[in-house]
Amino acid sequence: MYIDSHVHYWEIARGDYGWLKPSDPLLYRDYLPEHALPDMTARSVDGVIAVQAAPTEAEAWFLLELSRRHPIIVGVSAGLLPFSDDFAAAVGRLRSDPGFKGVRLGGGDFKRARTDAAARAKLTEGLRTLAAEGLTLDVLAGPDALAAVAAGLEELPELRFVVNHLGSPAAGGTRDATWSEGIERLSGLPNAHVKLSGMLTLSESPEPLRPYVDELFERFGASRLLFGSDWPVALKGGSYADAVERFESLLPPGLDPEALQRVRAGNARAVYGLGK
C-alpha cells in the first residue's frame, strides 16, 4: 500500500498556471484525478497529496473541491505567496477545510530571506503561522538553496517540513557536492523530511540517482523519507507504473517490512497528519 505524497492536478482553462505553455503539449492539457486513478488503483495507492501547481489561493480551493469529489485525495499542499500581507489570512481561510494540510514554498524564498531582513521577518512570521496551525511545509529547492532552507528553519523545530524531489541533485557526471552539504545540514533538523519523488525526470535511468538515494537513507533513515510520483510531470519520463518502479528499484536492499511500509505510506500519513 502506498500514499503518493506528490501529485499535481490542473485544469488549463483556470488560467493561473504561468509555467504551463502550449509549446509543451504533453503537459499543456487537463490532468484530473480520474485520469490517474486506474493506474493508482493498480499499484495499490491508498491516497495522494495534491500539491500546488499555481501560487494562488484560488488554486488551493480548486484542489480542495477536487478532494471532496475524489476520496483518493487525502490532503492538499497549497501555493501561497509567503511575502504577501494576506498570507496568514489565506492560511486561516483554507484552514476551514480539513483537507488543507500545508503550503509549498520555493527555495528562492529562503535565499531571499538570507539577504533581506524585511523578507526574513515576513517569511519567519508565515512559517510560525503554519507551525501554530499544525500544518506541513513543502519546499521545492535545488542544491544551491538547501543550506538557506536549513538556516531558515533551524529555529522552528515545531514545523514539519518536506524537501521535494530529493532536493533536485544533478544526476549526471560528478557527485553534486553542494547538494551533499545542504542535505547534511538539513538532516540535522529532526523535523526535516525528504520526498523520493520526481525521479523519472531527474534522470533517464535509475543508476545516476542511486548514490543520492543511498545518502538520503544514510542521513535521514527510513523514518523521514516519503514516496512521491510527481505525476503528471513524471509522464515526461515514463508512466505512473514506471514512477513506482523507479522508486522501488532505488530502495536499499535489506529494508525490513516495517521500514518499507513507513517509506511507502506511513511517513506521509505522519507528516501530513492523515491518521491511519
Side-chain angles (χ1 to χ4, degrees):
M1 195 71 70
Y2 297 88
I3 297 292
D4 188 337
S5 69
H6 206 98
V7 172
H8 302 287
Y9 300 113
W10 55 71
E11 195 171 65
I12 296 296
R14 290 192 55 263
D16 53 1
Y17 312 103
W19 63 282
L20 287 168
K21 305 293 184 184
S23 56
D24 187 349
L26 176 62
L27 296 186
Y28 195 74
R29 46 154 291 187
D30 293 349
Y31 283 100
L32 297 168
E34 58 267 29
H35 298 143
L37 188 58
D39 290 331
M40 290 177 175
T41 301
R43 298 306 304 228
S44 300
V45 174
D46 192 43
V48 306
I49 300 297
V51 178
Q52 61 92 207
T56 66
E57 183 182 345
E59 194 231 11
W61 287 113
F62 164 72
L63 294 174
L64 288 166
E65 173 58 28
L66 287 181
S67 75
R68 288 188 282 274
R69 293 189 277 118
H70 299 276
I72 191 72
I73 303 174
V74 293
V76 168
S77 181
L80 301 177
L81 300 174
F83 305 115
S84 166
D85 291 337
D86 195 46
F87 182 86
V91 169
R93 290 188 291 267
L94 291 166
R95 199 72 178 99
S96 66
D97 192 305
F100 174 53
K101 299 300 183 182
V103 169
R104 180 161 81 153
L105 303 182
D109 297 326
F110 289 87
K111 291 175 68 176
R112 175 182 169 186
R114 290 190 87 173
T115 58
D116 182 331
R120 182 162 60 253
K122 198 71 176 176
L123 179 61
T124 300
E125 177 186 0
L127 295 175
R128 292 193 187 282
T129 296
L130 297 181
E133 294 287 351
L135 296 167
T136 299
L137 173 68
D138 270 282
V139 184
L140 179 62
D144 65 331
L146 296 178
V149 172
L153 291 164
E154 282 173 340
E155 302 305 317
L156 290 162
E158 68 277 20
L159 177 61
R160 299 184 302 271
F161 73 95
V162 196
V163 175
N164 299 172
H165 310 332
L166 284 67
S168 303
T174 58
R175 187 68 167 272
D176 192 332
T178 302
W179 177 89
S180 289
E181 291 166 4
I183 287 297
E184 180 179 11
R185 184 168 177 181
L186 283 166
S187 68
L189 305 180
N191 52 328
H193 306 75
V194 178
K195 289 183 183 181
L196 303 179
S197 60
M199 294 193 287
L200 283 185
T201 50
L202 283 172
S203 173
E204 292 184 359
S205 63
E207 288 311 309
L209 295 175
R210 191 173 300 281
Y212 298 109
V213 174
D214 287 348
E215 184 168 341
L216 288 171
F217 271 92
E218 178 184 345
R219 296 196 180 280
F220 285 83
S223 63
R224 292 199 285 158
L225 300 175
L226 290 67
F227 162 67
S229 68
D230 197 26
W231 185 91
V233 179
L235 296 176
K236 296 178 78 70
S239 66
Y240 189 85
D242 291 332
V244 178
E245 176 57 33
R246 174 68 57 90
F247 163 77
E248 290 287 337
S249 72
L250 288 168
L251 293 175
L255 283 182
D256 62 58
E258 182 180 351
L260 283 170
Q261 191 52 30
R262 285 201 301 269
V263 180
R264 289 170 177 161
N267 295 336
R269 292 188 187 278
V271 167
Y272 289 101
L274 304 180
K276 294 184 178 180

